Amino acid sequence: MKILVTSANGRTGRPVVKALASCGLSVRAFIRDSSQDADLKQLGAAECATGNLEAKDTLMAAMDGCDKVVHIGPPMHPKEIEISEYVIECAQAHSLDHLVYYSVMHPLRREVRHHRLKLDVEEKVIESGLPYTILQPCRYMQHLEPIWAKVVETGVHAMPFDVTKKFNVVDLLDLADAVAAVCGSSDHLYATYELAGPESLSQEDMAKAISDAIGRDVMAKEILLDDLERTGREKGLPDDRIEQMKIMNGHYTHHGFLGNSKVLEMVIGRSATTFEQYVKRLVAK
């Protein structure tokens, strides 16, 4: 059995490739740049296919000889529907046994575009005629990692939403294990799974957990959306990405992002990782 993983070199794709390979599953990593081959093979990919999700012919070629596809869309991409339609059409042409679509928890939150687009894709997946599984992850614990060194240095845990709003953040490694479990068994066909972490935590709660782990006080701080925009422009992010980030974080400021870990724990067959356990992993690195 061979599984194609799209966006294999991304934040989500890399741990998914590693988890699939660790379960003895043969992975073909779909990547944009052949220079990434060695890294992906180091993670466990049996082979790599170079192409572009916006080029249907490269997807068609990449699926040749595969039995399953795990489709992970590029983050907050404005062409989510078009790209996913290409994936579905290619999977249909190859009569794949299983399409796993990596969506988002609460796609019905239509105010947030990447939620809304994934809801539309879910409909297309369900109506494709292909055996499918839809995975709906919550916000990652790993959003802490890009700022970890700064948090430890400054004692400030800054995120662009209200510090009191609750999130059931989830460990990306748990999510990768869920993908592997779904791909390794026929028991999960035609299922849609909400995948959330085990605790409803505010940024203040997370700052407290970080404080306990590093032995120094850390305070939570809200990054204002205007400041988020300015930083995005300094980094050269596209205008569309900046605008969608502002909309998403404004929505989370008002509503939080709450879920339940029971489904995740059923899928992976163990307790979900707590934020405290995750932070201790960071400290130990």
Side-chain angles (χ1 to χ4, degrees):
M1 179 174 63
K2 185 165 292 182
I3 303 168
L4 181 73
V5 177
T6 66
S7 303
N9 195 47
R11 181 203 295 260
T12 301
R14 291 174 67 86
V16 165
V17 168
K18 185 175 182 179
L20 289 168
S22 296
C23 291
L25 300 170
S26 180
V27 178
R28 179 181 291 166
F30 189 73
I31 52 179
R32 289 181 63 100
D33 186 345
S34 60
S35 68
Q36 300 163 349
D37 282 24
D39 283 348
L40 271 297
K41 288 179 179 177
Q42 184 69 30
L43 289 171
E47 55 190 85
C48 297
T50 304
N52 188 325
L53 285 170
E54 296 182 59
K56 186 178 175 182
D57 59 330
T58 64
L59 268 171
M60 185 69 78
M63 284 191 200
D64 188 36
C66 290
D67 304 285
K68 304 188 177 191
V69 58
V70 177
H71 175 43
I72 304 166
M76 301 178 73
H77 200 291
K79 294 185 177 180
E80 174 89 30
I81 294 175
E82 180 180 336
I83 286 170
S84 299
E85 284 177 336
Y86 290 163
V87 172
I88 291 168
E89 289 166 10
C90 293
Q92 290 169 327
H94 285 288
S95 300
L96 295 195
D97 298 332
H98 195 183
L99 166 59
V100 179
Y101 177 52
Y102 197 87
S103 182
V104 67
M105 198 173 78
H106 303 162
L108 47 76
R109 291 182 160 186
R110 289 187 167 273
E111 179 185 340
V112 183
R113 188 185 70 189
H114 76 273
H115 284 246
R116 179 177 74 249
L117 295 183
K118 288 184 182 296
L119 180 62
D120 290 339
V121 172
E122 287 189 12
E123 181 179 14
K124 294 178 183 298
V125 168
I126 290 169
E127 295 181 349
S128 68
L130 293 163
Y132 70 86
T133 308
I134 296 171
L135 303 179
Q136 299 177 328
C138 194
R139 179 180 171 83
Y140 297 170
M141 293 179 183
Q142 277 74 5
H143 281 102
L144 174 59
E145 292 189 19
I147 63 170
W148 174 248
K150 188 174 182 180
V151 171
V152 173
E153 177 186 353
T154 65
V156 177
H157 181 216
M159 290 285 180
F161 32 75
D162 187 325
V163 298
T164 67
K165 285 298 178 182
K166 303 275 187 176
F167 295 74
N168 277 79
V169 288
V170 63
D171 185 3
L172 179 51
L173 300 189
D174 286 357
L175 295 173
D177 285 347
V179 175
V182 163
C183 288
S185 169
S186 61
D187 293 344
H188 304 285
L189 296 182
Y190 306 107
T192 299
Y193 291 146
E194 287 191 359
L195 304 177
E199 307 157 293
S200 298
L201 302 174
S202 67
Q203 300 310 309
E204 291 177 338
D205 297 328
M206 295 181 207
K208 175 63 165 58
I210 297 168
S211 298
D212 292 343
I214 67 174
R216 298 196 303 278
D217 287 343
V218 173
M219 71 171 190
K221 178 183 177 182
E222 178 180 359
I223 299 172
L224 300 179
L225 294 184
D226 286 346
D227 293 334
L228 177 70
E229 178 177 358
R230 184 178 64 255
T231 301
R233 296 199 184 285
E234 289 171 354
K235 292 179 178 179
L237 295 180
D239 289 346
D240 179 76
R241 181 68 177 270
I242 293 170
E243 182 61 22
Q244 295 308 314
M245 288 170 60
K246 289 174 66 179
I247 291 170
M248 176 185 72
N249 288 299
H251 183 87
Y252 292 164
T253 281
H254 286 99
H255 303 289
F257 202 4
L258 297 173
N260 189 295
S261 66
K262 296 301 181 186
V263 172
L264 173 61
E265 292 169 343
M266 177 273 292
V267 173
I268 63 178
R270 59 173 172 80
S271 297
T273 303
T274 66
F275 188 72
E276 178 184 5
Q277 291 169 331
Y278 166 71
V279 171
K280 286 182 177 178
R281 279 205 328 247
L282 283 183
V283 172
K285 282 186 177 181

